[in-house]
Amino acid sequence: MSDVYELNTSRKYLNNEGKPRAERQFVVVGADTEGDVVALFGSTLPGEYENYPNDGALPYDMLAFDYSITKEPNAVATWQVTMRYRAEIGANQAFNNPTSTLLEPNEVGYRTARLSMSAEFKDQYRKFNTVKLMQNTARLFYESNDIGGSSVDVAGHPLSVLSYKQNITILITDSILPDAQAIALQIGTRNESSFLNYDAGSVVFAGCNAETIPEVGRNSIEYSFVYDQNSHYIQYPIRNENGVLIYAETASGGIAKGSVLKVYNKQPFPYTSNFSNLSQYFSGL
């Protein structure tokens, strides 16, 4: 049976460049090996992510994240353990955590975002006076009504135009790996509400990559999203029961004679989900 004693006089609290840190030192008597000492963590020694004593009085949580074990050279089965604590980003964002903007890449809550802009050719049967009008039409879910606009096809042959898109990657350091099954259910869904200042329905979750970092006991998780200026809708010309395009016999409004009569928007990603469920660290980006 090993005994653990805390050296209360050794408690140390530091605030270095806005990063609060703290230490506690313990003496373990009766442990034969380092493994015996490690087995005490979470029981008689503080476990990883346990709170620093009385941190409820602080505006942030101080959680244990690192330790060192040193054998006393002039004693039998006696060890000194130093447990280190730091301020963490909690789920409650009501306070301004001093570490939120000063984290290192291997610290929990560290995040970085990467954005690439590109364009791809898409078939277009109708055009609108502004991109904004086109986006508004897409958001109205015209899957069973003509989208309006003006004809740009020639006898059913669409115009190939560049469509603007963005690929968004968010890299986060977290203490736990995400729930793979829960993430799988959200891949291919669009944002049900505003996400990263993008309108609802305009961003698709494309999946993520996760990698453990054994050296620091952390996980690196990379989330991928795709934004499309058309909210991912595809212009779809209506055909008759024989699969033949239906053409306008006379010009009417913006629809030219000989162009396709009706065009709907079809959505390849019909389902939506709450992207904030993927990670608590998306907020503030």
Side-chain angles (χ1 to χ4, degrees):
M1 180 66 181
S2 301
D3 296 316
V4 177
Y5 305 93
E6 180 182 0
L7 303 178
N8 288 323
T9 56
S10 72
R11 289 194 186 184
K12 183 188 298 183
Y13 184 90
L14 305 171
N15 193 312
N16 184 15
E17 295 182 353
K19 296 182 180 180
R21 297 287 190 268
E23 287 185 3
R24 297 168 71 191
Q25 290 186 345
F26 302 84
V27 173
V28 178
V29 180
D32 294 326
T33 67
E34 290 93 335
D36 294 332
V37 178
V38 171
L40 300 174
F41 285 97
S43 57
T44 52
L45 282 171
E48 190 176 18
Y49 303 121
E50 283 194 14
N51 288 70
Y52 186 73
N54 302 317
D55 71 346
L58 300 173
Y60 39 75
D61 291 332
M62 293 287 290
L63 304 183
F65 79 101
D66 187 27
Y67 62 82
S68 61
I69 302 173
T70 306
K71 192 175 188 302
E72 292 290 347
N74 299 319
V76 178
T78 301
W79 307 76
Q80 180 171 299
V81 177
T82 300
M83 177 62 69
R84 301 177 183 87
Y85 298 78
R86 68 177 173 206
E88 293 280 359
I89 300 177
N92 180 8
Q93 300 293 329
F95 57 84
N96 181 22
N97 192 303
T99 69
S100 60
T101 59
L102 298 168
L103 292 169
E104 299 296 332
N106 65 343
E107 293 183 298
V108 172
Y110 175 84
R111 61 194 181 182
T112 182
R114 182 170 64 249
L115 173 68
S116 62
M117 303 182 185
S118 61
E120 61 183 16
F121 285 97
K122 286 187 176 182
D123 290 343
Q124 186 170 316
Y125 295 85
R126 301 284 176 81
K127 71 174 182 178
F128 298 86
N129 292 333
T130 65
V131 172
K132 183 64 175 176
L133 286 175
M134 177 183 64
Q135 292 173 331
N136 290 340
T137 299
R139 281 194 289 270
L140 290 175
F141 303 102
Y142 280 89
E143 293 191 328
S144 58
N145 294 290
D146 187 79
I147 63 175
S150 302
S151 299
V152 291
D153 67 292
V154 178
H157 296 284
L159 181 66
S160 186
V161 299
L162 279 174
S163 178
Y164 170 67
K165 64 185 296 186
Q166 295 179 356
N167 292 294
I168 307 155
T169 301
I170 302 174
L171 182 65
I172 291 176
T173 302
D174 209 335
S175 59
I176 59 175
L177 287 172
D179 185 340
Q181 295 301 319
I183 283 182
L185 294 176
Q186 290 186 262
I187 293 176
T189 63
R190 292 177 297 133
N191 56 316
E192 66 181 17
S193 59
S194 178
F195 176 70
L196 304 179
N197 293 324
Y198 292 99
D199 290 330
S202 62
V203 176
V204 165
F205 176 43
C208 77
N209 297 313
E211 178 184 6
T212 59
I213 311 173
E215 295 84 356
V216 295
R218 300 290 181 265
N219 302 287
S220 179
I221 308 164
E222 186 178 65
Y223 298 89
S224 298
F225 303 89
V226 179
Y227 163 81
D228 180 84
Q229 69 172 355
N230 300 303
S231 294
H232 305 276
Y233 276 92
I234 299 171
Q235 292 189 8
Y236 178 81
I238 301 306
R239 302 171 183 267
N240 63 19
E241 62 275 10
N242 296 318
V244 179
L245 290 173
I246 303 174
Y247 298 102
E249 297 181 356
T250 60
S252 176
I255 311 304
K257 180 180 179 180
S259 294
V260 291
L261 180 63
K262 290 185 177 182
V263 177
Y264 294 172
N265 273 331
K266 292 298 181 181
Q267 177 55 255
F269 307 105
Y271 304 109
T272 61
S273 66
N274 182 5
F275 290 172
S276 64
N277 292 337
L278 297 172
S279 175
Q280 64 174 315
Y281 300 114
F282 284 161
S283 61
L285 282 172

